[in-house]
Amino acid sequence: MQVILIFLLFFVGILVKSVNSERYTVGEGYGWRSAPYPTYYEDWGKTIKLKPGDELEFRFQKPDDLLQIAKYDYYACSSNTPSRQYNNSPATAFLLIPGDYYFKSSNNTNCINGQRLYVNVPPPNEDKDKDNQPGVLKN
């Protein structure tokens, strides 16, 4: 019973935080397509600070698509065990809980050439979040 209550409180906390969620367009104006250089999406991912509740929007044109995959498939550029496939654009990936998220094109050649994205959503830092609220004075 206690475990369920703790999980429920954690989940409610994430939902409350999602009110302040951000939506990021992957690749910004370039979109989600064959990368112009091998580290393009990796470099883009380093420019954003994610939090639970944020969203990633992927814009692509057919025949391209998007797979959410496991860590192994990300590094191997394989599509053996996608946890989710997005066929229609724009595709929105909801980053509801802290953790690692991996995405790639189902075209393995495009993945090898850099059309893949890894992002980490760190757990909320309550003290830091309180300090960043408007009207809250720091000691």
Side-chain angles (χ1 to χ4, degrees):
M1 184 66 177
Q2 250 183 335
V3 172
I4 293 172
L5 183 59
I6 291 170
F7 177 75
L8 197 60
L9 290 173
F10 177 75
F11 186 70
V12 168
I14 287 176
L15 287 178
V16 168
K17 287 199 176 291
S18 69
V19 171
N20 297 321
S21 69
E22 301 282 337
R23 177 176 283 208
Y24 298 93
T25 302
V26 174
E28 303 197 9
Y30 187 76
W32 180 249
R33 56 187 170 150
S34 184
Y37 57 90
T39 61
Y40 179 77
Y41 292 106
E42 178 183 341
D43 294 345
W44 177 86
K46 291 177 182 176
T47 67
I48 58 174
K49 299 287 185 201
L50 296 168
K51 62 188 177 306
D54 283 350
E55 303 169 3
L56 295 178
E57 182 178 89
F58 294 80
R59 296 180 183 170
F60 53 86
Q61 294 181 0
K62 298 236 183 228
D64 217 342
D65 61 4
L66 173 69
L67 300 177
Q68 187 170 346
I69 54 174
K71 180 178 182 177
Y72 174 81
D73 287 333
Y74 175 82
Y75 289 104
C77 275
S78 67
S79 305
N80 293 332
T81 55
S83 58
R84 180 140 191 220
Q85 182 167 0
Y86 302 83
N87 294 313
N88 298 313
S89 177
T92 302
F94 298 95
L95 310 176
L96 296 178
I97 60 173
D100 296 328
Y101 293 83
Y102 301 90
F103 303 93
K104 70 178 274 305
S105 167
S106 65
N107 180 324
N108 290 339
T109 301
N110 285 359
C111 178
I112 291 166
N113 292 326
Q115 190 180 7
R116 61 184 179 171
L117 175 67
Y118 156 74
V119 293
N120 175 266
V121 178
N125 180 337
E126 295 299 327
D127 294 333
K128 183 179 176 186
D129 291 344
K130 288 177 188 174
D131 289 344
N132 290 331
Q133 290 179 358
V136 175
L137 298 175
K138 297 179 183 177
N139 294 335

